[in-house]
Amino acid sequence: MATAQRQARGKGPAGSWQWARTAQTQRALLDAARAVFTEQGFADASIADVVERAGSSVGSLYHHFGGKSELFLALWQDCQQAQEADASEAVARARKAGVTDSFELFSAGARAFLEGCWQRRDLALLFYAGDGPPGFEVMKRRRGREWLGQNDALLRLSDTSFDRLYATILTSLIGEGGREVAAARTRRQAVQVIDATIEYVRRLMTGGPAGTLLAPGGRPPSPPGLDSGAAGGF
């Protein structure tokens, strides 16, 4: 009877209940870490401040994350996954609506990424500041290469040094645009930066590598076939 009552309340069997509690604890610690790290910076933040904010314990933090550095990296990865999901979903929606224009697909993902930088501006500023644990910059560079590879797939660029450079420039432009969006003082200013960044993307894509992306008129003479399963990038 007790088990049935727990399931009726949405708590499920003991195993799923324990998993739910674990996920809830992890989320509480990540949310607390977000508040503490963005207020104090990584170097000055203490584990004691995080667990107090989370209503948890030092032992629980070490159990779930391993320590302060690991908690910071987990927060960064959580943010990255949210940013990637925003971009990928925007590209998927555009494709579902029948969009095949390479600029429109790329800019849809880029705009979603940039909007995420505004919505998560506290985290964006924290991660752009470079105040992180040892190994963080290496992880950021590795993640940057992953974004670059995804943009290569989205734009169907060839494996040449010129196309790799082109993809790097586009990806870097979006990244720097994200930094400026996060630093904007108002929503209006952030929108202006987003619009300007997308305009710079359009100009870069006019002509494209070997003229394959956008013709001078701003439309692709023959859009490259984009794989419907390709992820968003940036």
Side-chain angles (χ1 to χ4, degrees):
M1 180 66 177
T3 300
Q5 289 175 340
R6 284 199 302 270
Q7 291 176 340
R9 290 196 297 269
K11 296 180 179 179
S16 61
W17 174 239
Q18 289 300 321
W19 181 89
R21 291 192 63 182
T22 296
Q24 184 180 30
T25 299
Q26 290 175 339
R27 187 72 259 167
L29 286 166
L30 285 171
D31 290 344
R34 177 176 183 167
V36 173
F37 288 144
T38 55
E39 289 172 5
Q40 303 178 20
F42 172 76
D44 293 335
S46 71
I47 288 177
D49 290 335
V50 173
V51 297
E52 181 181 2
R53 185 77 64 102
S56 187
S57 67
V58 173
S60 180
L61 186 150
Y62 276 98
H63 172 72
H64 289 292
F65 294 102
K68 176 180 167 182
S69 294
E70 292 83 356
L71 180 60
F72 181 95
L73 295 178
L75 185 64
W76 176 73
Q77 290 172 337
D78 188 62
C79 180
Q80 287 293 298
Q81 289 171 359
Q83 292 285 84
E84 182 172 357
D86 287 347
S88 296
E89 289 168 7
V91 173
R93 285 195 301 270
R95 283 199 176 101
K96 188 175 182 179
V99 175
T100 58
D101 182 313
S102 56
F103 165 70
E104 294 298 338
L105 289 173
F106 186 87
S107 63
R111 185 174 291 277
F113 175 88
L114 294 168
E115 287 284 355
C117 289
W118 172 252
Q119 294 166 8
R120 306 176 186 92
R121 54 193 177 277
D122 57 336
L123 289 174
L125 290 173
L126 172 67
F127 299 140
Y128 278 123
D131 177 19
F136 178 51
E137 291 302 316
V138 173
M139 289 187 66
K140 285 174 64 177
R141 288 194 294 271
R142 185 183 304 123
R143 183 62 182 135
R145 291 194 294 270
E146 291 174 359
W147 280 111
L148 187 58
Q150 291 173 351
N151 286 338
D152 276 337
L154 178 64
L155 296 174
R156 288 287 190 171
L157 298 176
S158 60
D159 187 22
T160 67
S161 58
F162 292 108
D163 280 9
R164 286 194 297 271
L165 175 61
Y166 180 75
T168 300
I169 292 171
L170 281 174
T171 303
S172 299
L173 171 59
I174 301 303
E176 290 304 310
R179 184 197 299 269
E180 294 302 321
V181 167
R185 293 187 297 274
T186 64
R187 167 68 180 167
R188 179 180 179 183
Q189 184 180 17
V191 170
Q192 291 174 336
V193 174
I194 292 171
D195 289 342
T197 303
I198 299 301
E199 172 60 18
Y200 291 142
V201 168
R202 186 193 66 77
R203 294 182 187 182
L204 279 171
M205 292 183 74
T206 299
T212 58
L213 293 180
L214 293 183
R219 305 295 297 179
S222 179
L226 295 177
D227 182 359
S228 61
F234 325 107

